[in-house]
Amino acid sequence: MSAQPVHHPQAPPAPAAGAKLRSRIAAHEAADRWLPAFERDWGAALEESRQTFDLTALHEVVREWQGRLDTAPAVAALIASGFEDTDSVALEDIIGARR
């Protein structure tokens, strides 16, 4: 029996992936909310990469935001379908009312 790694590292994004991703976010209908959040995440990852000489943080930001953009149509469709979440429990019922 041979030991195989459980986690296979993903290939790093292309060098221009951040710029292309920013363009996709800017074209999205939620750009007014998402663009400042992306720029905050990108800036923090860029600073971390400058300090550590490691691009992992930048790669993670690209993958996270690509996932958000790729799933946004499905989320919008779910919301538009009138998805009912009435089976949830109010937080006040669990921890009590605030005084």
Side-chain angles (χ1 to χ4, degrees):
M1 180 160 87
S2 64
Q4 296 294 322
V6 175
H7 174 70
H8 298 285
Q10 296 177 337
K20 290 179 183 176
L21 186 58
R22 188 183 185 289
S23 296
R24 282 183 64 195
I25 293 170
H28 195 273
E29 61 188 29
D32 59 329
R33 292 178 290 125
W34 285 8
L35 199 53
F38 171 75
E39 289 176 349
R40 181 195 63 235
D41 293 351
W42 184 259
L46 188 60
E47 186 58 34
E48 180 180 332
S49 294
R50 285 180 182 147
Q51 293 176 2
T52 63
F53 299 103
D54 183 12
L55 299 176
T56 302
L58 292 169
H59 296 172
E60 289 172 355
V61 168
V62 167
R63 287 187 189 105
E64 179 180 327
W65 279 95
Q66 282 175 336
R68 285 183 185 161
L69 285 170
D70 292 345
T71 58
V75 172
L78 180 67
I79 292 170
S81 73
F83 175 72
E84 291 290 327
D85 63 350
T86 56
D87 62 342
S88 63
V89 177
L91 184 59
E92 293 81 18
D93 294 343
I94 297 171
I95 62 173
R98 296 178 94 181
R99 297 177 191 186

